[in-house]
Amino acid sequence: MRLTAIKSKVDAGEKIAMLTCYDATFAKLMERAGVDALLVGDSLGMVLQGEENTLNVSMHHMTYHTKSVAAGAPDTLIVADMPLGSYEHDHEAAYKNAIWLIKSGAHMVKLEGGGERVATARYLVERGVPVCAHLGFTPQSVNQLGGYKIQGKTTESAQTIIQDAMAMADAGVSLMVLEMVPASLAKHITETVSAPTIGIGAGVDCSGQVLVLQDLLGIYSGPASKAPEDFKTPRFVRNFLKESHSIQQAVASYVRAVKEETFPAAEHSY
Ligand code: KIV
């Protein structure tokens, strides 16, 4: 499944089911379970490395995991995160790092933020690199945002996200992740911009959904340094394994719930 197939599904009104993936075994399983797109997210810093956040993930980590995922899912669209420090300082460095990810097996790269990042996205798109924007809560800015907080709650901040989304669409991005924003704001953006939106904590009206695999399986319990009982699962997470007999069935049930629009429900949204 490539980008054109994803776009045809969106045009036909079908929701896109995306999941994070970091290795070949899960990539193979997810491809067979009907996942439309795999995100090699820098969330691997948290779920694989046990860190508190995504800030220490490097290009070497990202290319290593992208290669593994590409090996396991040769027929699925693979989006790879550009880690912190790999794209912000100059456009040429962003381009070189994006090409490194593409050569490792990604079909698209994802970068966080609006504002000045719009020019970076445009630079990559003009050179033939498909880009996924990431707006709303952007984990690489966790320190500036003061923690894991919902974004776009005030009229002013919602307006900024809408303008960034429009500018990113104008720059030619192919997809747009919207993280932890009010469902009404995500709905408005989805109806306004040309690029399909993929929500996480952004309500059911996005063009598709993404979840971190370990969250879907209910096995993520916070950073390695903290006791699992001190970890509070985010509101937008649903444990699909609890109601399934196998991981494959849990993933397939996530895909079905996204397509049937039963996930996310109101209780998973803001
Ligand atoms: O890194 C990641 O997994 C992500 C998703 C949470 C969207 O960016």
Side-chain angles (χ1 to χ4, degrees):
M1 161 110 31
R2 292 293 186 262
L3 187 57
T4 44
I6 300 257
K7 282 192 174 142
S8 307
K9 285 191 178 192
V10 172
D11 290 344
E14 182 176 335
K15 299 282 179 181
I16 300 307
M18 186 190 238
L19 279 178
T20 67
C21 188
Y22 318 103
D23 70 16
T25 301
F26 277 115
K28 194 171 172 184
L29 180 150
M30 288 189 203
E31 186 166 278
R32 292 182 76 89
V35 178
D36 295 307
L38 301 180
L39 171 63
V40 189
D42 60 358
S43 50
L44 66 86
M46 299 167 78
V47 293
L48 298 190
Q49 299 172 342
E51 300 258 358
E52 301 250 350
N53 50 48
T54 61
L55 307 185
N56 284 313
V57 175
S58 69
M59 277 300 298
H60 284 281
H61 297 143
M62 290 309 305
T63 51
Y64 174 89
H65 289 283
T66 300
K67 272 187 196 154
S68 306
V69 171
D75 296 322
T76 303
L77 182 84
I78 296 169
V79 182
D81 259 332
M82 300 202 70
L84 181 72
S86 70
Y87 61 97
E88 303 89 339
H89 45 300
D90 79 85
H91 290 168
E92 197 46 34
Y95 177 70
K96 283 194 182 131
N97 285 325
I99 292 298
W100 190 6
L101 287 167
I102 299 287
K103 287 191 173 175
S104 304
H107 304 109
M108 189 182 297
V109 298
K110 175 162 83 56
L111 49 88
E112 295 187 7
E116 290 178 15
R117 297 291 85 78
V118 174
T120 314
R122 190 184 296 279
Y123 189 89
L124 297 181
V125 171
E126 281 172 355
R127 280 153 189 79
V129 179
V131 173
C132 174
H134 183 155
L135 300 172
F137 177 73
T138 46
Q140 291 172 11
S141 308
V142 63
N143 292 331
Q144 292 95 309
L145 298 174
Y148 292 82
K149 291 183 182 157
I150 177 167
Q151 303 296 306
K153 276 204 318 197
T154 64
T155 312
E156 202 187 345
S157 62
Q159 208 47 46
T160 304
I161 297 174
I162 293 169
Q163 275 160 12
D164 282 337
M166 288 167 67
M168 278 293 187
D170 185 60
V173 302
S174 304
L175 290 175
M176 201 175 290
V177 166
L178 300 174
E179 180 164 358
M180 283 174 73
V181 296
S184 56
L185 174 59
K187 180 174 194 285
H188 175 76
I189 292 171
T190 305
E191 288 167 355
T192 307
V193 301
S194 49
T197 59
I198 307 291
I200 173 162
V204 74
D205 292 307
C206 294
S207 319
Q209 301 293 328
V210 60
L211 262 192
V212 168
L213 169 69
Q214 282 76 356
D215 284 339
L216 172 151
L217 299 176
I219 56 171
Y220 181 67
S221 62
S225 60
K226 291 217 172 101
E229 51 275 18
D230 293 338
F231 177 70
K232 188 171 177 295
T233 303
R235 179 188 172 103
F236 55 80
V237 169
R238 174 170 148 194
N239 179 345
F240 284 85
L241 188 58
K242 212 159 55 178
E243 56 208 63
S244 310
H245 298 300
S246 67
I247 291 175
Q248 174 107 14
Q249 206 182 69
V251 172
S253 138
Y254 163 76
V255 172
R256 197 166 45 250
V258 170
K259 306 273 175 195
E260 291 172 354
E261 302 181 33
T262 54
F263 178 78
E267 77 221 53
H268 306 114
S269 309
Y270 300 97

